[in-house]
Amino acid sequence: MSVLASTRNTLARGLLQQSNSGRASVLLTVGGARLYSNGEKTLKERFAEIIPAKAEQIKQLRQEHGSTVIGEVVLNQAYGGMRGIKGLVWEGSVLDPDEGIRFRNRTIPDIQKELPKGAGGTEPLPEALFWLLLTGETPTESQVKALSADLASRSELPEHVSQLLDSLPKDLHPMAQFSIAVTALESESKFSKAYAQGVSKKDYWNYAFEDSMDLIGKLPVIASKIYRNVFKDGKLGSVDPNADFGKNLANLLGFKNDEFVELMRLYLTIHADHEGGNVSAHTTHLVGSALSSPYLSFSAGLNGLAGPLHGRANQEVLEWLFKLREEVKGDYSKETIEKYLWDTLNSGRVVPGYGHAVLRKTDPRYTAQREFALRHFPDYDLFKLVSTIYEVAPGVLTKHGKTKNPWPNVDSHSGVLLQYYGLTEASFYTVLFGVSRALGVLAQLIIDRAVGQPIERPKSFSTEKYAELVKSINAKK
């Protein structure tokens, strides 16, 4: 056990010995790390206080309205990927077709304003969003500092995971390596060990919380190790025990630029959660509902995120942009871009980065990234290209008439920001998405265990059975 990990365990024992009011203070400094509670509740303590009321709210809601019809399902939805079917519970965020994402009823501009920032920075800290997603409350700066230190103290990888990553072939996609490493961390699962020992159901959340915190703390190291092994010299720096989550990720990747640190904070925050129906969120929830550990559940979610129709879309957007840039040879006029867009559509291809399964307006995550670019590099060549596409594409797609949403989504911009600061390896981008998405899906996984969510088991029919069903229904009309 590392010194930091041992210190964290000591700190945890000290916190458990605090009075119920949580007013006592603990301050430990080891190896330069300040692991402390200044009299405010820790995330785990606050969640433990909140969850009984949440569980009671759910119980009452089901008792009073459990038989209320909340929607209807048509046959096309069953064959069309279950689009729009109301059938999942997701506390952290809700996606409105016109308004966009809200995190615990807060918009992206809201969280940019409300959440604590890094030292000297203006972007919200992703670990502050994790606190918000789990509790519905905005943490104080000191609470977030303590949470940052806690996550940093959990960052050390088991030797077998480090060796495993070093042994993987460099041509294995970074997302496959990411999933493998997270699965291998199952050896560390406190949840699995507690379950095997017969722990009470009411304590499931406690061990799910510890696993989730351990996993989140390790993700910057795993992601950076993959990046350094595949694209650089294989050498990896060390975690700064006094740094926040985004800064540690940026520094471990090898980027010391303050603006890039700010970008990581923004990127990790806005990609963290997007309600529960997307593939990575739903998969993590589904596997977790079988009482698989957070490690196994999140690894499954990563395998879904790796798909080109989900997280890998940002890589495809960039590849398409490069082809466009090569063909137009510096001519970024609206007329030239419009012709290229029509050529793309008329050849049977889609315009990557445009359209969304739910949204019917510009993705607020796109807007947040665009505003970051306008502040920091408005004259960057690739940003100018993306900006012109933004002016032209919605009109072209509207005239084309085969898309319900002609506006850009988050994937159409994120690669441009990373390219500007020198992280040019597009196949790695989904790994960054995965680091971020852990915050949202693991927060919900903890809540699932705390409120006793059951195993997910929807009903399926064969095509023949559906034919019988609709025939029977129509005969009664």
Side-chain angles (χ1 to χ4, degrees):
M1 181 182 295
S2 70
V3 173
L4 273 178
S6 176
T7 301
R8 176 172 54 78
N9 290 340
T10 301
L11 173 61
R13 289 193 295 272
L15 291 173
L16 289 173
Q17 293 169 2
Q18 290 183 27
S19 66
N20 290 334
S21 66
R23 305 294 293 180
S25 296
V26 178
L27 174 58
L28 298 173
T29 304
V30 177
R34 293 171 60 83
L35 303 179
Y36 60 89
S37 170
N38 67 346
E40 294 185 281
K41 299 292 176 66
T42 66
L43 176 56
K44 190 173 186 180
E45 290 171 328
R46 189 68 191 116
F47 183 75
E49 289 180 339
I50 289 170
I51 204 60
K54 187 67 178 180
E56 182 62 26
Q57 178 191 23
I58 293 170
K59 180 181 177 181
Q60 290 295 324
L61 183 64
R62 295 186 65 181
Q63 286 179 345
E64 295 175 18
H65 304 288
S67 298
T68 301
V69 176
I70 59 174
E72 62 179 11
V73 179
V74 298
L75 188 63
N76 279 338
Q77 288 177 296
Y79 282 94
M82 299 193 292
R83 292 282 176 90
I85 296 176
K86 299 178 183 70
L88 292 171
V89 177
W90 201 263
E91 303 291 356
S93 63
V94 174
L95 183 59
D96 182 88
D98 297 313
E99 188 180 68
I101 191 71
R102 276 183 174 266
F103 303 103
R104 292 285 189 163
N105 205 34
R106 294 164 175 84
T107 64
I108 287 178
D110 288 340
I111 64 171
Q112 287 180 300
K113 180 181 179 180
E114 293 180 19
L115 292 183
K117 317 295 190 295
T122 60
E123 299 297 344
L125 293 176
E127 55 266 55
L129 181 68
F130 181 65
W131 186 298
L132 175 67
L133 293 175
L134 194 56
T135 68
E137 300 174 347
T138 300
T140 66
E141 289 188 10
S142 59
Q143 284 175 322
V144 176
K145 286 180 180 179
L147 180 57
S148 299
D150 190 1
L151 291 172
S153 75
R154 299 171 186 255
S155 62
E156 186 176 4
L157 298 185
E159 185 61 28
H160 75 90
V161 176
S162 293
Q163 292 177 354
L164 175 62
L165 284 170
D166 289 338
S167 70
L168 294 174
K170 290 188 175 183
D171 60 354
L172 180 63
H173 195 282
M175 278 299 286
Q177 297 193 37
F178 198 19
S179 174
I180 288 169
V182 173
T183 299
L185 283 171
E186 172 67 9
S187 62
E188 311 305 298
S189 176
K190 297 179 175 70
F191 181 89
S192 294
K193 292 180 176 65
Y195 183 85
Q197 294 169 3
V199 67
S200 171
K201 290 182 179 180
K202 65 180 178 62
D203 291 327
Y204 283 173
W205 77 265
N206 184 21
Y207 298 96
F209 179 94
E210 288 300 320
D211 274 6
S212 297
M213 289 286 288
D214 286 343
L215 175 53
I216 293 170
K218 290 172 173 52
L219 290 180
V221 178
I222 295 172
S224 300
K225 191 169 182 61
I226 293 169
Y227 180 74
R228 302 298 302 181
N229 281 350
V230 174
F231 302 110
K232 303 297 178 181
D233 57 7
K235 297 179 180 178
L236 186 68
S238 58
V239 170
D240 181 351
N242 296 306
D244 61 82
F245 190 75
K247 184 173 183 178
N248 264 322
L249 175 60
N251 291 344
L252 287 168
L253 290 170
F255 295 86
K256 306 296 184 181
N257 184 299
D258 288 342
E259 285 185 13
F260 186 82
V261 171
E262 281 284 270
L263 173 59
M264 283 296 95
R265 291 166 177 160
L266 175 65
Y267 183 101
L268 294 173
T269 299
I270 65 174
H271 285 80
D273 207 38
H274 214 231
E275 71 172 27
N278 65 76
V279 172
S280 57
H282 186 194
T283 303
T284 304
H285 163 79
L286 172 63
V287 175
S289 78
L291 297 186
S292 297
S293 76
Y295 297 104
L296 298 180
S297 302
F298 182 58
S299 178
L302 286 175
N303 290 335
L305 188 67
L309 295 183
H310 190 19
R312 192 173 174 177
N314 55 16
Q315 177 181 338
E316 294 196 340
V317 168
L318 200 62
E319 293 167 353
W320 179 79
L321 282 174
F322 287 158
K323 290 179 182 178
L324 189 163
R325 184 172 63 177
E326 181 180 350
E327 290 198 23
V328 302
K329 296 180 172 55
D331 180 4
Y332 295 170
S333 66
K334 293 182 181 180
E335 294 76 16
T336 300
I337 300 302
E338 181 173 352
K339 180 180 182 304
Y340 189 88
L341 292 171
W342 277 115
D343 289 344
T344 298
L345 294 169
N346 291 334
S347 67
R349 294 172 291 163
V350 299
V351 177
Y354 278 74
H356 193 274
V358 178
L359 283 172
R360 296 296 176 261
K361 62 172 289 184
T362 299
D363 191 333
R365 299 172 299 173
Y366 173 95
T367 303
Q369 293 180 108
R370 175 174 171 78
E371 290 173 350
F372 184 94
L374 286 169
R375 287 196 302 272
H376 296 290
F377 47 84
D379 297 324
Y380 178 42
D381 178 70
L382 203 56
F383 174 62
K384 288 183 176 180
L385 177 58
V386 168
S387 295
T388 305
I389 295 171
Y390 182 38
E391 294 180 45
V392 176
V396 171
L397 290 167
T398 299
K399 290 178 183 178
H400 186 248
K402 293 185 178 181
T403 177
K404 294 180 180 179
N405 174 26
W407 303 102
N409 58 51
V410 66
D411 297 314
S412 64
H413 210 306
S414 55
V416 174
L417 305 178
L418 298 168
Q419 287 282 317
Y420 177 79
Y421 290 108
L423 205 166
T424 58
E425 299 84 0
S427 64
F428 183 74
Y429 291 176
T430 316
V431 174
L432 291 178
F433 198 160
V435 174
S436 174
R437 185 49 54 92
L439 302 173
V441 301
L442 292 176
Q444 183 61 45
L445 197 64
I446 296 166
I447 296 171
D448 287 344
R449 298 292 75 79
V451 301
Q453 280 284 78
I455 189 169
E456 185 178 311
R457 180 60 171 86
K459 179 62 178 171
S460 64
F461 284 140
S462 65
T463 295
E464 291 73 19
K465 186 63 177 178
Y466 271 123
E468 291 178 20
L469 180 62
V470 296
K471 183 179 180 179
S472 174
I473 293 171
N474 288 328
K476 296 176 182 178
K477 291 182 178 179

